[in-house]
Amino acid sequence: MKINEEIGEVLLSERSVLMLFWDKNDGWQVAGNGDLSIDAALLKNEGLEGLRAVVKDSDLGLFDAFLERVKENVEVGETVPSGTSSFFDAAFHLKTTDGSFRYHKIECHFKTDELGVVRKLLVRIPELEAEDVYRLHLAQVITNDKNPSFFNQEARAIMDSNPDKNFALIQFDVAKFKMINEQFGEEFGDELLDYFIHTLKLLCGKDQLYVRLTADVFMLLTPFETKDDISRFVEYINSNLLGYKGIPYRLVFGVCRIRDKSANLRKFGDGAALARQSIKNDVLTHLAFYSDEMKESAKMHKFIEDSMENALQNHEFVMYLQPKYSISREKVIGAEALVRWVHPERGIIPPMEFVPLFEENGFILKMDAYIWEEACKAIRDWIDRGVEPVPISVNVSRRHLKDRLFVDILNNLTHKYGIPKHLLEIEITETIEEAAVKEGILSLKESGYTLLMDDFGSGYSSLNMLKDTQFDVIKIDRIFLQDFISSERGRNIVEHTIRMTRAIGLDLVAEGVETKEQAMFLSSCGCDMAQGFYYAKPMTLADFNMKYSVG
Ligand code: C2E
Ligand code: CA
Ligand code: CA
């Protein structure tokens, strides 16, 4: 714990709060236990720059925003009207290092001399009793006390009075807020948002603003000098808003610098929204800064969503085939169906630009069914022309696996085209097991398809998944292969992975084989099937037929 290193041994009883203030000359000074008495003169000469509270073994945090407010509110030498009590009164909760919560409130009083002149400030951070906490929640109705148009006006006013400062808009929301509502009840959801509003009030200092835009989306305005200032402010907000009542939820922040203060703020608000949306599915990141590429990709998204239905009708989605080779026999033994969007004006659009989007908006169900049918047609054509067909593997997004209909679609297709099930192979990307997904996999297996575990080695539970798997074939991921094959140690891991996989009776395909050396190494380890640019890139069916005279 840093506290002791910074301020020396402090002995605290279980429930007391130690108040510290930062003095320019003397560093952290203990100001009182539970009560803080600040000399008003200290405020004026700016000697007091930080305020901090600690409890036993935990740092409750800095109250700099609070300090700013104090400084705004007190004029040394000013006389305070009699009857003025606490001018600052707010409640909040803090998470301690052991993960428990403490509810506190801040009270601030003037201490005046006989003439009524402010001499001292008394700050208390008493802990709230359970009953107070309860009443506090009751008293909190969801108040949108700063509505958006008011926010814009205020933001404008703040920027006008700070012509030399840079400003940024920060938008944040609760990731998967709907799920939180479902899981913990809407009442909890409302309470949480209430709590945010209440806490933001405390956290936003001078020249900062907050507003609730819609249900769980908030906007903040903050001045900054460097990008780090913004990141620090975001961390400050994030750490104080997380962990309410010990419920796990995640906040996602998008930032957009206001590059032109005379322009309509909305533009930058939209930028912050785009930045936020760009990471909403990424559990590892909670902060993104707007960039112009985001605007481009948002445009691209819109274009894709506007034209996908038409594209399907117009047969713009085209099945490409990438051959799979037997390394030892130097012969094509199968192919993977990979979609390409051949757009009349834009040319070929690669799947990474639209597949993830289709997975999100559900269109993947239609597009994949189309590709599966193209694969069946190709196999039918080979059979009809009397050439020995090779199996085609098709990609099945995990989105399908929860939808029982897709097994019927596959069965109907193989039935309609009279295709032996072993000729249509199914590639599924390995991720965390879910019950619904497991069922989908099982019913595929029961229908008689060969199942390939795609991208093996790129996820986290690879080895664990082999334990009692329904899969028949493991596809070693391209990145895994290329990363590992370059070092002795890595080659060892690849070799043992292959041997172990074989030992439990599974077959292997290596993906992304780019050199002869890679192919030879794989073969020597017991993996004879390879797919990659060393052999061939994905190509049209016509090219495939010509090149391999499969057809
Ligand atoms: P994937 O299923 O892992 O497909 C393999 C990707 O690796 C393909 O990219 C392929 O062109 C590429 N590749 C193969 N060999 C090499 C190599 O030696 N070097 C390099 N650098 N790359 C190689 P592609 O076609 O761009 O597809 C990307 C991803 O899009 C696929 O990854 C798959 O997840 C998805 N996808 C493609 N077609 C479909 C489809 O019809 N349906 C669904 N649901 N997803 C698809
Ligand atoms: Ca694949
Ligand atoms: Ca793959």
Side-chain angles (χ1 to χ4, degrees), residues 444-457:
L444 275 177
K445 178 77 178 178
E446 282 167 354
S447 299
Y449 298 101
T450 302
L451 303 186
L452 283 72
M453 189 187 284
D454 207 351
D455 302 340
F456 181 79

Side-chain angles (χ1 to χ4, degrees), residues 15-253:
R15 310 280 350 150
S16 58
V17 185
L18 194 72
M19 300 294 298
L20 306 162
F21 67 88
W22 178 261
D23 183 305
K24 229 190 225 148
N25 303 318
D26 299 315
W28 286 112
Q29 299 292 304
V30 176
N33 194 342
D35 294 309
L36 171 62
S37 166
I38 305 173
D39 204 323
L42 200 59
L43 281 177
K44 195 180 185 188
N45 71 18
E46 307 262 289
L48 184 68
E49 286 182 340
L51 184 61
R52 174 176 182 185
V54 296
V55 294
K56 195 173 187 340
D57 296 331
S58 272
D59 200 340
L60 288 189
L62 297 169
F63 298 142
D64 291 355
F66 167 72
L67 199 60
E68 288 298 327
R69 289 274 170 102
V70 172
K71 286 185 181 177
E72 266 175 66
N73 273 279
V74 66
E75 277 292 330
V76 180
E78 192 184 45
T79 43
V80 182
S82 60
T84 309
S85 56
S86 175
F87 68 81
F88 194 96
D89 197 337
F92 58 101
H93 85 286
L94 292 157
K95 193 173 180 179
T96 61
T97 42
D98 66 16
S100 64
F101 285 88
R102 295 178 64 136
Y103 291 84
H104 287 268
K105 73 179 169 189
I106 293 189
E107 292 169 356
C108 197
H109 297 270
F110 298 124
K111 191 168 182 195
T112 54
D113 63 14
E114 18 345 34
L115 299 169
V117 176
V118 175
R119 292 295 172 211
K120 276 188 191 300
L121 281 169
L122 296 177
V123 184
R124 287 185 67 230
I125 307 193
E127 193 164 4
L128 291 176
E129 300 296 331
E131 176 144 346
D132 289 333
V133 175
Y134 176 65
R135 263 195 274 117
L136 184 81
H137 289 320
L138 277 188
Q140 282 173 6
V141 277
I142 293 192
T143 48
N144 195 352
D145 59 339
K146 287 195 162 66
N147 67 48
S149 67
F150 181 70
F151 177 87
N152 281 350
Q153 280 171 26
E154 286 237 311
R156 183 71 51 219
I158 289 178
M159 290 192 296
D160 285 349
S161 55
N162 291 284
D164 304 333
K165 284 190 183 163
N166 289 317
F167 284 86
L169 286 175
I170 302 171
Q171 198 181 93
F172 75 89
D173 76 337
V174 185
K176 305 207 163 67
F177 186 62
K178 236 165 104 198
M179 263 165 63
I180 290 173
N181 268 331
E182 277 163 23
Q183 204 177 341
F184 302 102
E186 276 179 27
E187 240 165 71
F188 173 80
D190 290 350
E191 203 183 287
L192 182 69
L193 299 175
D194 247 5
Y195 167 72
F196 284 1
I197 292 177
H198 203 78
T199 311
L200 285 172
K201 205 179 285 181
L202 186 77
L203 299 177
C204 286
K206 189 170 175 291
D207 298 336
Q208 289 173 327
L209 273 184
Y210 67 92
V211 69
R212 181 171 163 202
L213 293 179
T214 60
D216 67 323
V217 182
F218 293 81
M219 185 85 91
L220 302 162
L221 173 83
T222 185
F224 71 97
E225 271 173 30
T226 65
K227 207 171 157 183
D228 281 352
D229 293 341
I230 302 177
S231 305
R232 263 194 299 274
F233 181 58
V234 166
E235 290 322 314
Y236 176 59
I237 298 285
N238 193 41
S239 61
N240 276 287
L241 295 188
L242 284 184
Y244 181 64
K245 291 200 168 168
I247 302 247
Y249 51 86
R250 214 162 57 80
L251 301 180
V252 183
F253 294 82

Side-chain angles (χ1 to χ4, degrees), residues 472-489:
D472 306 284
V473 182
I474 300 303
K475 278 194 95 169
I476 301 177
D477 184 56
R478 171 168 60 91
I479 307 294
F480 174 75
L481 183 73
Q482 286 168 1
D483 274 2
F484 279 65
I485 215 160
S486 54
S487 73
E488 179 66 37
R489 198 184 157 97

Side-chain angles (χ1 to χ4, degrees), residues 342-375:
V342 185
H343 192 272
E345 281 130 41
R346 296 189 175 222
I348 295 183
I349 308 174
M352 286 328 279
E353 296 213 13
F354 55 89
V355 164
L357 192 61
F358 288 178
E359 286 178 340
E360 231 173 84
N361 67 21
F363 190 70
I364 196 74
L365 298 159
K366 286 192 190 175
M367 193 212 72
D368 271 350
Y370 177 82
I371 296 296
W372 302 339
E373 180 150 16
E374 291 297 290

Side-chain angles (χ1 to χ4, degrees), residues 253-264:
F253 294 82
V255 177
C256 187
R257 269 192 58 193
I258 298 175
R259 277 160 300 174
D260 172 5
K261 284 199 252 178
S262 62
N264 191 339

